[in-house]
């Protein structure tokens, strides 16, 4: 977001909703080809339930083990069991749907918002994955308030990161830089890499 007015509107929205500020960067609005915009909009609009289907019993056990372990690690940040479990199920579903490692997505959320649903940055980025409001106009319903919804925010965040990753031809370092609006600088990718390791299944916090 490049103008003061959208930032001010986002900050006023934040105050109205009693959300918390986040010190995060921001995706930069760029011109998208019509075909790209249409594809991204279709991904955002898909409202299929976040219920994974497993072809093998072992896959389901691995999924449940992941939910249980990540839930243990998130207990202090999200003490409510039901909310914590729903959050993790949605992270797993949206990450896998976008072809991303769920641990990477958790690491990005850790860095961007420290798992605060109503976080908002000085640039106006919103929610868990600090999505810029302009995305709702470009590929969504035009309502930035929808980014405070858990699943909507995670859907946007994962879709945007996947788009940047594809645009950078699989270079995660550059894709993360685009996500943060700091392409070419090391601080943000390095922070996400470090957090990613903390959320891998074989690591302990």
């Amino acid at each position: 977001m490049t103008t003061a007015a959208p930032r001010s509107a986002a900050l006023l929205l934040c105050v109205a909703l009693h959300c918390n500020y986040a010190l995060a960067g921001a995706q930069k609005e760029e011109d998208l080809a019509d075909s790209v915009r249409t594809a991204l909009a279709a991904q955002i609009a898909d409202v299929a339930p976040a219920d994974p289907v497993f072809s093998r019993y072992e896959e389901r056990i691995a999924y449940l083990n992941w939910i249980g372990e990540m839930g243990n690690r998130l207990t202090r940040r999200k003490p409510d069991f039901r909310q914590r479990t729903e959050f993790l199920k949605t992270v797993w579903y949206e990450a896998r749907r976008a072809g991303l490692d769920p641990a990477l997505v958790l690491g990005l959320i850790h860095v961007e918002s420290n798992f605060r649903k109503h976080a908002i940055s000085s640039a106006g980025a919103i929610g868990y994955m600090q999505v810029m409001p302009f995305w709702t106009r470009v590929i969504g319903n035009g309502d930035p308030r929808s980014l405070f919804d858990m699943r909507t925010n995670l859907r946007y965040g994962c879709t945007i990161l996947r788009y940047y990753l594809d645009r950078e031809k699989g270079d995660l370092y550059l894709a993360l830089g685009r996500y943060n609006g700091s392409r070419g600088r090391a601080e943000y990718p390095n922070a996400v890499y470090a957090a990613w390791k903390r959320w891998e299944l074989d690591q302990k916090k």
Side-chain angles (χ1 to χ4, degrees):
M1 188 173 296
T2 57
T3 63
R7 284 198 297 268
S8 298
L11 293 175
L12 287 173
L13 178 61
C14 176
V15 171
L17 294 175
H18 307 289
C19 50
N20 300 308
Y21 288 104
L23 299 176
Q27 304 98 27
K28 299 183 185 303
E29 185 169 3
E30 305 169 5
D31 290 333
L32 299 179
D34 289 342
S35 59
V36 173
R37 183 183 295 107
T38 299
L40 293 175
Q43 293 179 49
I44 294 299
D46 182 2
V47 294
D51 296 323
V53 176
F54 301 99
S55 59
R56 296 188 302 127
Y57 175 75
E58 293 79 5
E59 292 176 346
R60 177 170 178 77
I61 293 301
Y63 166 73
L64 294 175
N65 287 341
W66 185 86
I67 295 293
E69 176 57 32
M70 296 305 111
N72 291 337
R73 300 184 198 183
L74 266 178
T75 299
R76 285 183 298 173
R77 291 184 175 89
K78 291 188 168 298
D80 184 274
F81 174 81
R82 183 174 179 179
Q83 291 180 0
R84 183 170 70 247
T85 302
E86 187 63 25
F87 169 77
L88 286 169
K89 286 181 176 180
T90 308
V91 166
W92 191 92
Y93 181 87
E94 295 298 339
R96 294 289 294 268
R97 180 179 178 274
L100 303 171
D101 182 348
L104 167 62
V105 174
L106 287 175
L108 187 147
I109 293 171
H110 193 161
V111 171
E112 286 283 348
S113 68
N114 198 24
F115 298 95
R116 291 174 295 166
K117 179 179 180 179
H118 293 108
I120 191 165
S121 76
S122 59
I126 292 172
Y128 286 121
M129 296 189 74
Q130 291 290 277
V131 177
M132 289 297 287
F134 73 77
W135 284 107
T136 64
R137 169 174 46 80
V138 174
I139 61 174
N141 62 6
D143 183 3
R145 292 172 298 181
S146 65
L147 295 174
F148 288 109
D149 174 75
M150 175 192 68
R151 186 178 181 190
T152 300
N153 191 277
L154 297 175
R155 168 67 57 84
Y156 270 89
C158 290
T159 298
I160 293 164
L161 181 56
R162 179 75 257 173
Y163 163 67
Y164 287 146
L165 191 58
D166 291 343
R167 181 166 179 176
E168 295 293 353
K169 297 179 172 58
D171 189 321
L172 182 58
Y173 176 89
L174 293 178
L176 288 171
R178 279 192 184 277
Y179 193 95
N180 183 248
S182 59
R183 185 179 184 275
R185 295 174 55 184
E187 296 89 343
Y188 180 78
N190 287 344
V192 174
Y193 287 150
W196 181 5
K197 290 182 179 179
R198 294 181 65 185
W199 290 98
E200 288 178 338
L201 188 60
D202 59 351
Q203 299 294 321
K204 299 295 183 182
K205 291 192 68 178

